[in-house]
Amino acid sequence: MTTTGTTVAGVFEELYGHAPEGVWAAPGRVNLIGEHTDYNDGFVLPIAIPQAVRAYARRRDDGVLRLASTRVPGAAVELDVAGLAPGGVAGWAAYPAAVVWTLRRAARHEVGGADVLLDSDVPGGAGLSSSAALECAVATAFNDMYELGLGAEELALLAQSAENEFVGVPCGIMDQMASMACRAGAALHLDTRDLSARHVPLDLAGAGLTLLVLDTRVQHDLADGAYAALRAGCERAAALLGLPALRDLATADLPAALTRLPADLVPLVRHVVTENDRVRQAVAELQRHGPAALGPILTAGHASLRDDYLTSCPETDLAAATAVAAGALGARMTGGGFGGSVIALVATERAEAVAGAVVDAFAAAGYAEPHVYRAVPSAGARREA
Ligand code: ADP
Ligand code: MG
């Protein structure tokens, strides 16, 4: 299916024979700091980005769910909402179907079918959380169409359990909370244990700064075993230390704790504990000295992912190192890892040069040309039309 020469609403009408009743948007995100902390009950500091998934939708009262995406060629996938079950839907359609499944479980018979067409400018598999954006757009659409009255936090939790239980990706809560709850002009300081959140003002433009997003175009696949193995390692370490989660290990107690762990768990625990500390530092520095002070914290976060957590890859290491060498205040891989995107905080007048240096370094290394975006702290999920 293509949207060339026509509007997405026009494509919806061609596909389903009637107009959508509304359009709901939910953004992707970049995480400033706090990576792999969300499944350890820790802290994160994401912003929503301008790129979003939009769900064009119309409620149906016959229990039929039809799903299409402007990114996926071919006819709509047709499902029976009452028959939705984990494992029962293959491919991309599992993501939206999963959300309908969890909403039905939470709000029983109130949730029925719909015609849905997804349109997105969030690159998929780039560490910018297209999956959570998709889930949150669909969750927000159904919440409105079926007047469920669920709040942002409940919708985020339902979207997460959709991805965990139905799609089979054991993600934490950061991406869905960022997509649901972020505000324009602010970062979301989130405690993933109790979901208490603070909106920390982040005026990059006012500070003369640009946050570059360098998508390495190395596709990760979070459904593979690596992410699950890291998560399991963290849980094993917490259990060995007699703690509910690694978030409960204080920085001061880290050296002693590391002596009690098997060698393979030491770097994991060191990353999680120091990373939680970097989130606290980042929020304090942001409030005291402004966004430029985030630079060294970002770079330290990348080193921890590269050397301890081992979730970076040659392409993300090259992008981060090149950005810093070309004058960025700091740079780090963002997202789950094994590819995806690097963020670089740069003085706006250096942004072109830093992006150019990374593009050149990739060409010299024989890597695919990275895609470059500028991230502006943007609004969370909302109805648009
Ligand atoms: P990320 O969330 O980092 O972008 P994931 O692997 O978690 O990467 O999610 C990407 C998956 O989400 C895609 O493989 C696809 O199944 C689904 N997806 C994301 N955006 C869309 C879209 N616009 N249309 C259809 N499926 C999408
Ligand atoms: Mg994802």
Side-chain angles (χ1 to χ4, degrees), residues 1-50:
M1 184 185 325
T2 165
T3 56
T4 316
T6 180
T7 62
V8 180
V11 174
F12 186 104
E13 214 162 329
E14 250 168 57
L15 193 62
Y16 296 128
H18 46 212
E21 69 174 81
V23 183
W24 291 264
R29 61 96 189 93
V30 294
N31 188 22
L32 296 175
I33 194 74
E35 215 64 78
H36 291 279
T37 49
D38 66 347
Y39 52 81
N40 289 297
D41 276 5
F43 300 89
V44 294
L45 190 67
I47 61 170
I49 57 176

Side-chain angles (χ1 to χ4, degrees), residues 56-81:
Y56 291 68
R58 174 168 213 95
R59 174 181 166 148
R60 296 174 63 103
D61 291 320
D62 60 357
V64 172
L65 176 64
R66 294 198 287 183
L67 302 167
S69 165
T70 55
R71 209 172 265 180
V72 181
V77 174
E78 190 165 326
L79 301 164
D80 166 19
V81 286

Side-chain angles (χ1 to χ4, degrees), residues 29 53 68-72 91-96 118-135 163 169 175 219-223 335-336:
R29 61 96 189 93
V53 174
S69 165
T70 55
R71 209 172 265 180
V72 181
W92 72 275
Y95 289 86
L118 300 168
D119 186 49
S120 171
D121 58 357
V122 186
L128 303 178
S129 203
S130 68
S131 61
L134 186 165
E135 291 151 15
E163 189 158 340
V169 179
D175 297 350
Q219 296 263 334
H220 65 81
D221 183 2
L222 293 186

Side-chain angles (χ1 to χ4, degrees), residues 70 137 158-159 184 188 191 197 250 290 297 367:
T70 55
L158 290 168
L188 184 75
D191 179 339
I297 301 171
Y367 298 155

Side-chain angles (χ1 to χ4, degrees), residues 37-44 46 136 151-161 164 171-183 188-199 247:
T37 49
D38 66 347
Y39 52 81
N40 289 297
D41 276 5
F43 300 89
V44 294
C136 291
E153 190 180 304
E154 288 166 293
L155 292 174
L157 285 165
L158 290 168
Q160 182 203 14
S161 55
N164 290 169
C171 60
I173 190 62
M174 169 173 69
D175 297 350
Q176 290 80 7
M177 274 299 286
S179 187
M180 286 305 309
C182 276
R183 290 186 189 159
L188 184 75
H189 182 208
L190 178 71
D191 179 339
T192 65
R193 171 164 278 169
D194 64 8
L195 298 191
S196 59
R198 225 156 29 106
H199 299 276
R247 174 252 179 80

